[in-house]
């Protein structure tokens, strides 16, 4: 069997990827320190996947702990999710973001090299494109970071390019996620932001369920069809399948690659609000407020390269993204809180 190490394994995208890897026939070893996720995810994964998860509790910045994991398990490839990911928080806490996001990556790569493991999938982000010069965004578009979080993704990608240039044994896949939303159809795992959600979809679900009074729409004076921000929302299950396809290519073909994982379709904030109201049957009251600093008008992918290299494309539409987000919210009013 082929064994995949998943770091940040009990997080939102990683937990869905865990299920997709299992279904694809891979063995999985999950690692997390629960700094931004719940141990309850492990029970849910067993309930859905039917197998007791192989899990190691560890901070990926702890070199001794990571070394011990590589000694206990024969790892064939690593999918590295473990990182802090809040744009606004990164501006307030740059030292924590660089230490954790870059330090964790380096620690994992050093352990991999010691153990002859050289296939690596990196969780990157469309945030590396900054304010896109043209749309849809291709992988060879200009790269720029407007916040420390985005810088950690740019630096991470550069580290992996340099690793591959120094030693062709390294095969790396940088996956640039657009806007992940939705949840597993079971409603048993999903996005569980702590405190007030930064992102649109979890905020909308909390308004629809009555946990928040109304949605603040950050600006309606953007150069977009209805004036509100346009983004490429992608179902988290499609995103998970993109990781499986990327790993298969790393095992089946030589070389490294960087691809967008998006649908190629942009939706405005108000279009998401309308779609969610239809999917949930609930009103989503909102108020137009000032733009959020750092937001761009529009951002959506050209997904052609992932289709060409990986034979992968997103399959779930906005109605499904909203229906699955709503089911998760209804089934878990307080997320993974015990
Ligand atoms: C989407 C749209 C907002 C909340 C961020 C990170 C990115 C990635 C995904 C990690 C925008 C509007 C939002 C609200 C609103 N994360 N909005 N009211 O900013 O595109 O991307 O999350 O990799 O790196 O930057 O996502 O969901 O925050 O915003 O009007 O309460 O919804 O202005 O147009 P974003 P988002």
């Amino acid at each position: 069997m082929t064994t995949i190490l998943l770091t940040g394994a009990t997080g939102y995208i990683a937990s869905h990827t865990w299920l997709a890897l299992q279904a694809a026939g891979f063995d999985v070893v999950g690692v997390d320190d629960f700094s931004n996720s719940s141990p309850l995810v492990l029970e849910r994964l067993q309930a859905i996947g039917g197998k007791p998860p192989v899990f190691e509790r560890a901070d990926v910045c702890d070199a001794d702990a990571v070394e011990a994991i590589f000694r206990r398990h024969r790892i064939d490839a690593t999918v590295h999710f473990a990182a802090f990911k809040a744009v606004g928080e990164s501006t307030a806490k740059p030292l924590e973001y660089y230490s954790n996001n870059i330090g964790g990556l380096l620690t994992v790569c050093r352990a991999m090299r010691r153990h002859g493991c050289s296939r690596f999938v990196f969780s990157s982000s469309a945030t590396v494109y900054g304010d896109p010069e043209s749309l849809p965004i291709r992988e060879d578009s200009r790269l720029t970071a407007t916040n420390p979080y985005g810088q950690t993704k740019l630096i991470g990608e550069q580290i992996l390019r340099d690793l591959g240039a120094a030693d062709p044994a390294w095969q790396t896949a940088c996956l640039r996620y657009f806007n992940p939303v939705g949840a597993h159809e079971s409603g048993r795992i999903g996005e569980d932001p702590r405190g007030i959600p930064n992102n649109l979809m979890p905020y909308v679900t909390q308004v629809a369920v009555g946990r928040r009074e109304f949605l603040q729409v950050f600006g309606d004076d953007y150069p977009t069809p209805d004036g509100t921000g346009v983004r490429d929302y992608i179902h988290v299950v499609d995103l998970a399948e993109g990781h499986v396809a990327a790993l298969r290519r790393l095992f089946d073909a030589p070389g490294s690659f960087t691809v967008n994982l998006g649908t190629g379709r942009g939706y405005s904030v108000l279009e998401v609000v309308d779609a969610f109201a239809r999917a949930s049957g609930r009103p989503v009251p909102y108020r137009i407020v000032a733009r959020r600093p750092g937001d761009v008008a529009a951002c959506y992918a050209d997904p052609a390269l992932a289709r060409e290299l990986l034979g992968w494309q997103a399959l779930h539409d906005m109605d499904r993204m909203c229906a699955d987000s709503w089911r998760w919210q209804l089934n878990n009013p307080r997320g993974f809180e015990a």
Side-chain angles (χ1 to χ4, degrees), residues 190-208:
E191 189 172 9
D192 182 25
R194 296 183 171 173
I196 300 172
N198 292 312
N199 295 135
L200 178 66
M201 189 62 89
Y203 203 104
V204 167
T205 62
Q206 291 187 13
V207 169

Side-chain angles (χ1 to χ4, degrees), residues 233-250:
Y233 299 96
I234 177 169
H235 197 293
V236 66
V237 167
D238 281 325
L239 210 49
E241 291 302 334
H243 289 74
V244 175
L247 274 167
R248 285 200 170 114
R249 182 171 173 97
L250 289 181

Side-chain angles (χ1 to χ4, degrees), residues 111-128:
M112 288 175 68
R113 185 172 62 180
R114 283 194 300 272
H115 291 268
C117 177
S118 57
R119 291 185 177 90
F120 189 92
V121 177
F122 181 57
S123 170
S124 191
S125 166
T127 206
V128 301

Side-chain angles (χ1 to χ4, degrees), residues 87 125 149 179 198-200 216-218 229 231 233 292 295:
V87 168
S125 166
Y149 163 72
N179 288 61
N198 292 312
N199 295 135
L200 178 66
Q216 294 183 100
V217 175
F218 296 141
R231 297 292 186 274
Y233 299 96
R292 179 172 64 177
D295 273 359

Side-chain angles (χ1 to χ4, degrees), residues 6-325:
L6 279 190
T7 71
T10 48
Y12 172 44
I13 302 170
S15 54
H16 287 82
T17 303
W18 193 327
L19 292 173
L21 286 170
Q22 262 181 211
F26 291 99
D27 281 334
V28 176
V29 175
V31 183
D32 208 302
D33 63 359
F34 301 132
S35 60
N36 196 22
S37 62
S38 166
L40 283 176
V41 171
L42 296 171
E43 295 169 28
R44 302 288 180 87
L45 289 174
Q46 175 154 4
I48 299 166
K51 287 173 67 173
V54 177
F55 178 76
E56 300 275 1
R57 180 170 187 170
D59 176 350
V60 292
C61 294
D62 178 342
D64 293 338
V66 173
E67 171 63 20
I69 289 167
F70 274 86
R71 286 184 180 167
R72 272 196 289 275
H73 305 276
R74 188 184 54 76
I75 304 296
D76 298 298
T78 299
V79 184
H80 185 57
F81 289 100
F84 296 151
K85 71 169 190 80
V87 168
E89 183 185 57
S90 78
T91 305
K93 299 180 176 177
L95 192 54
E96 288 75 10
Y97 268 69
Y98 285 111
S99 303
N100 184 64
N101 291 10
I102 305 301
L105 170 63
L106 293 173
T107 302
V108 170
C109 286
R110 277 198 291 262
M112 288 175 68
R113 185 172 62 180
R114 283 194 300 272
H115 291 268
C117 177
S118 57
R119 291 185 177 90
F120 189 92
V121 177
F122 181 57
S123 170
S124 191
S125 166
T127 206
V128 301
Y129 296 117
D131 191 353
E133 287 177 311
S134 64
L135 293 166
I137 303 174
R138 294 161 38 99
E139 287 79 357
D140 59 2
S141 299
R142 182 200 61 180
L143 301 180
T144 175
T146 55
N147 55 76
Y149 163 72
Q151 282 289 4
T152 68
K153 292 304 181 183
L154 270 183
I155 295 166
E157 290 192 11
Q158 187 59 53
I159 289 169
L160 295 173
R161 275 194 292 276
D162 292 344
L163 266 178
D167 175 359
W170 278 98
Q171 278 188 265
T172 64
C174 292
L175 307 183
R176 293 173 179 165
Y177 310 157
F178 279 69
N179 288 61
V181 295
H184 187 266
E185 61 185 359
S186 65
R188 307 295 309 275
I189 56 173
E191 189 172 9
D192 182 25
R194 296 183 171 173
I196 300 172
N198 292 312
N199 295 135
L200 178 66
M201 189 62 89
Y203 203 104
V204 167
T205 62
Q206 291 187 13
V207 169
V209 82
R211 186 170 167 188
R212 310 260 173 216
E213 190 187 354
F214 61 87
L215 169 74
Q216 294 183 100
V217 175
F218 296 141
D220 68 347
D221 58 350
Y222 285 103
T224 60
D226 65 17
T228 64
V230 170
R231 297 292 186 274
D232 185 332
Y233 299 96
I234 177 169
H235 197 293
V236 66
V237 167
D238 281 325
L239 210 49
E241 291 302 334
H243 289 74
V244 175
L247 274 167
R248 285 200 170 114
R249 182 171 173 97
L250 289 181
F251 285 110
D252 295 348
S256 298
F257 54 90
T258 296
V259 291
N260 292 331
L261 292 187
T263 69
R265 168 81 159 83
Y267 281 88
S268 75
V269 176
L270 294 183
E271 285 176 318
V272 173
V273 168
D274 288 346
F276 197 89
R278 281 196 310 274
S280 63
R282 299 284 184 90
V284 180
Y286 65 84
R287 289 181 197 162
I288 307 292
V289 299
R291 292 183 177 188
R292 179 172 64 177
D295 273 359
V296 301
C299 173
Y300 52 90
D302 177 339
L305 188 57
R307 192 163 53 242
E308 177 195 331
L309 286 185
L310 310 183
W312 167 92
Q313 64 183 27
L315 302 175
H316 297 69
D317 62 14
M318 178 53 73
D319 290 343
R320 179 69 186 276
M321 294 179 212
C322 292
D324 290 346
S325 298

